[in-house]
Amino acid sequence: MSCGPPIGETRPVVAARPGTRVFAGTVVGDVMDVVTTIADLRAALAPARARGAAVGFVPTMGYLHDGHLTLARWARRDAEVAVASIFVNPTQFGPDEDFSTYPRDLERDRALLADVGIDLLFAPSVEEMYPTPLRTFVEVPHLSSILLGAMRPGHFRGVATVVAKLFGIVQPSRAYFGEKDYQQVMVIRRMVQDLSLPVEIVPVPTVRDADGLALSSRNVYLTADQRRAALRLNQALAEAKTAVERGITNPAALEDHVSRFIAEEPLAKIDLVAVRDADTLADPGDQLPDRILVQLFVRFGRAQLLDHIVIPRPDGGGR
Ligand code: PAF
C-alpha cells in the first residue's frame, strides 16, 4: 500500500498498459459494460482479477464534466482494467441538502465514459448499495469535522463509508480523486492508511474552464451572472499567491486579505476562507506553514463552490 505523493504535488501517472484494450480476455474497443449489482460487478471483474490485472477505479456521483473525465483518462492510461462508478450517495448529504435535486444524466455519462475508454461502469441503485439500514460507518475523526466537515456534519462519514464500501466491491489497485475536493482526498487517504486498504490513492489536479472556474457538477446551478461572479474565486487564489510572494507572513492577515478581495464581488457569500497547513489541515497559528493551503468555500446563489491553492512558503519554511 502506498499513499502516493502529497496532494498538490502530483506527478504524472506513468502509462503502464499496452496499446490494445483487453477486458476479461476480449478486445473491447469502445464498448463499455454497465452493471448495476454488486454480484454482476464481481463476476465481470473476476477474470481480470484471476490473471492479476491492475484495476484502476474512478468513483463519481455522475453528471460528469471534464474533471471527472480527466480522472477516467488517468485510470485508462494507468491500469489494465478501468472501472468507474456513478452513485449519488445519500449518506453524504444532510437533510436540507440537494440529494434529491443533485443533477443526474446516466445516459450521457455512460457515453462519455465509453468515449474515454472506461471498460466497466458500476451504477448501482440506493437499494443495491444500502439494502438494509446501515449499521457500520467509517469515521475519520478530526479531519472529517473541520472546514467543510464543520459546515456539513456527517458528510465525510458518508463519503468515507461509501468509498470504503466501493473499494470492497471493486478492489482496485489505484483509485483516482480530484484534488478540487482537497479535504476529501485527505480523509480518504487517512482512511486507507489507517485501515491498511491495499489501494493507492491518486490525486488528480483540478481541471478548470478556460476562464479559470474550477469544474464542478454543481456549476450547473449557477446563473450566467453568478458564473461570471464565481471567477472571483480563482482570482482570489492568485491574489493569495501574490500576497505570500510579496511577504505576508501572518495566516490571519492572509485570510483577511483574501476575504476582502472576494467580498468585493456582491454575488459572493463567503462561508469560509481558511489558511491551513496543506499536509495536515491544521490551523497554523501565527506562522505560515511550509506548504500553505488557502481553501475557499463561497456561495453563489444556491451553489456552494470550493476552490483552493497550495502555495510553498517562499523562504522554504527554514528547511
Ligand atoms: O467526490 C465525489 O463525487 C463523491 O464524494 C464520491 C468520492 C464519489 C463518494 O460518493
Side-chain angles (χ1 to χ4, degrees), residues 203-247:
V204 177
T206 303
V207 178
R208 298 177 182 278
D209 269 332
D211 57 11
L213 184 68
L215 298 189
S216 160
S217 301
R218 288 191 170 100
N219 289 354
V220 73
Y221 296 148
L222 299 171
T223 63
D225 280 350
Q226 290 162 353
R227 198 197 168 290
R228 180 200 41 74
L231 298 179
R232 197 79 185 160
L233 297 188
N234 192 33
Q235 293 160 3
L237 297 175
E239 184 67 25
K241 187 162 182 287
T242 304
V244 169
E245 285 164 358
R246 289 200 178 140

Side-chain angles (χ1 to χ4, degrees), residues 77-251:
R77 192 173 61 176
D78 196 28
E80 194 174 331
V81 177
V83 180
S85 66
I86 294 181
F87 178 61
V88 184
N89 172 39
T91 68
Q92 69 189 74
F93 289 79
D96 300 325
E97 294 180 359
D98 57 345
F99 171 68
S100 58
T101 57
Y102 193 85
R104 292 162 169 89
D105 191 342
L106 186 58
E107 202 31 57
R108 176 180 157 277
D109 289 348
R110 196 203 61 74
L112 289 170
L113 291 169
D115 238 37
V116 169
I118 289 290
D119 296 305
L120 184 62
L121 170 61
F122 179 48
S125 63
V126 172
E127 295 68 34
E128 178 68 13
M129 286 295 276
Y130 303 120
T132 53
L134 210 53
R135 293 275 177 268
T136 306
F137 295 92
V138 179
E139 297 266 12
V140 183
H142 186 64
L143 278 181
S144 291
S145 56
I146 56 176
L147 300 173
L148 185 63
M151 288 177 251
R152 300 182 64 188
H155 169 69
F156 285 118
R157 179 172 94 151
V159 169
T161 304
V162 81
V163 170
K165 200 168 156 76
L166 288 165
F167 283 175
I169 295 166
V170 177
Q171 297 176 41
S173 25
R174 283 187 173 163
Y176 301 79
F177 292 87
E179 272 181 14
K180 188 179 85 64
D181 297 308
Y182 192 92
Q183 187 175 3
Q184 171 169 282
V185 180
M186 298 276 290
V187 166
I188 291 168
R189 275 194 158 165
R190 186 67 206 213
M191 169 186 85
V192 162
Q193 189 184 330
D194 285 356
L195 299 181
S196 305
L197 302 180
V199 52
E200 181 183 353
I201 301 305
V202 183
V204 177
T206 303
V207 178
R208 298 177 182 278
D209 269 332
D211 57 11
L213 184 68
L215 298 189
S216 160
S217 301
R218 288 191 170 100
N219 289 354
V220 73
Y221 296 148
L222 299 171
T223 63
D225 280 350
Q226 290 162 353
R227 198 197 168 290
R228 180 200 41 74
L231 298 179
R232 197 79 185 160
L233 297 188
N234 192 33
Q235 293 160 3
L237 297 175
E239 184 67 25
K241 187 162 182 287
T242 304
V244 169
E245 285 164 358
R246 289 200 178 140
I248 202 166
T249 56
N250 182 279

